[in-house]
Structures are given as structure tokens and as C-alpha cells.
Amino acid sequence: MPSLINRLIVRDLATAFQGAEGLIILTYGGLTAVENETLRDKLAEKGCELRLVRNALAQLVLKQRGHDVPSEHFVGNVAIAFGNAEAVIHAAKVMNSAETKKLKKATVRLGLLEGKLLTAVDVVELGGVPDRPTLQSKLLGCLTGPQRGIVSTMNAVPSALVRVLQARADQLEKSAEAPAA
């Protein structure tokens, strides 16, 4: 890697990957300009960046970060989608969406999340994980469900008593009005 340009590219990639909690390596061949921009826009919605990379340079940067990625994943046109953990999960969802699969031009090869290598199958499964707000609402529902049940049960007896007393009061009121008429 004697070229100054290559050294600059490696430094730029290393800087870009430094804050990334994960990345997805994908094939990226034959996309039109419109399909390319659409894919990039979908990934950018959650802060994920997509870069076309030179295979040897990307492999070198990943090796410098301590990830020995097999060279068979760096064949042909390769792009890397990277960002924080939530952005990478969003990228997995985008790559597994029906619209992206329909194109058959961009496919997942490998993933890396929080220091662990993920196979293409793992990335597909990662795409099925709900996003953070959905998980938070599910967790909140699990935490508040038992308390809501206890309160409803405790409130049932007094409210039933009030309904019975009201029904009896209405009944007495009707019986008092009937003879007067």
C-alpha cells in the first residue's frame, strides 16, 4: 500500500469506523443511480452510512480494528453500512425488506455488531429485532401489567358495591313514585 491516496483512504475509513458499533458488509453490484440513492436514504434515516470500499483497504482497516474478516467476503463490488447499534439493526431491516430483496442486486455477506462477527443468516435474524421504542413499550407493558391487574381487582369490589347500591336506590325511587301516580 505505497500510494498516498491509499493511505488517506485507510485513515478516512479508520476514522469513520472508529465510532461505529457495528457494520454490515454487502454486495453492491448493478444498482442504478436511483436505486443507490433510495438505499442510501433509507439507511440514513436512522444514522447509518453506506460506503463503497476497496476490498483490500476495507479488509486492512477491519484487521487494524481487531476483526479478522475472511477474504471470501471481499470479492466483487463491496459496500459497508455502518453506524451505532440501532443504525445497524435498521440497516439489517432495510436489507431484508421486500423492496431490497426484489432488486436482487444488494445482498448481505457478513455483519459485525459490538465486536462479534455475524453471518448473513444472523444479520437476517437481526433484522427481525424490534426497534428501541417498540422494545421499551413492550417492557413497560410487562412491568405495569401486574400492577394494573391488582388495582383493577382491588377496585372491582367497591365499584360493584356502588353499582348494587345505586340499583337499589333506583328501585326504591321507582317504587315510591308508582303509588303516588
Side-chain angles (χ1 to χ4, degrees), residues 46 86 89 93 128-137:
K46 298 280 183 165
E86 194 167 336
I89 292 171
K93 288 177 193 252
V129 173
D131 59 350
R132 184 177 299 246
T134 305
L135 286 174
Q136 288 172 338
S137 64

Side-chain angles (χ1 to χ4, degrees), residues 2-180:
S3 170
L4 174 65
I5 294 172
N6 286 346
R7 287 194 297 264
L8 290 173
I9 292 171
V10 167
R11 188 171 64 192
D12 183 47
L13 279 176
T15 303
F17 291 167
Q18 194 169 19
E21 295 174 3
L23 55 88
I24 296 177
I25 300 170
L26 50 114
T27 59
Y28 195 82
L31 288 177
T32 65
V34 173
E35 294 166 341
N36 177 14
E37 287 304 314
T38 303
L39 181 61
R40 286 177 185 267
D41 289 343
K42 286 182 181 177
L43 293 174
E45 287 175 4
K46 298 280 183 165
C48 190
E49 187 176 339
L50 181 70
R51 284 200 189 175
L52 291 170
V53 293
R54 290 188 49 201
N55 297 343
L57 299 180
Q59 206 168 3
L60 178 66
V61 171
L62 290 173
K63 193 171 208 163
Q64 287 175 352
R65 291 192 67 205
H67 307 294
D68 193 22
V69 179
S71 59
E72 68 255 12
H73 296 290
F74 290 99
V75 177
N77 294 332
V78 173
I80 297 181
F82 60 94
N84 62 23
E86 194 167 336
V88 172
I89 292 171
H90 175 70
K93 288 177 193 252
V94 169
M95 294 307 300
N96 293 320
S97 70
E99 185 178 326
T100 306
K101 285 184 177 180
K102 186 175 139 184
L103 294 174
K104 295 182 182 176
K105 296 177 183 176
T107 56
V108 174
R109 289 194 179 174
L110 187 75
L112 182 70
L113 185 62
E114 296 176 350
K116 296 179 184 161
L117 282 175
L118 306 172
T119 65
V121 175
D122 293 336
V123 174
V124 169
E125 290 176 6
L126 185 63
V129 173
D131 59 350
R132 184 177 299 246
T134 305
L135 286 174
Q136 288 172 338
S137 64
K138 286 183 178 185
L139 181 62
L140 185 61
C142 288
L143 293 174
T144 62
Q147 291 88 345
R148 189 178 307 131
I150 289 171
V151 169
S152 297
T153 303
M154 290 173 53
N155 193 31
V157 173
S159 63
L161 178 63
V162 168
R163 284 192 298 273
V164 168
L165 291 174
Q166 184 63 44
R168 179 65 179 150
D170 292 344
Q171 185 182 28
L172 289 174
E173 188 176 299
K174 283 184 182 180
S175 65
E177 290 177 5

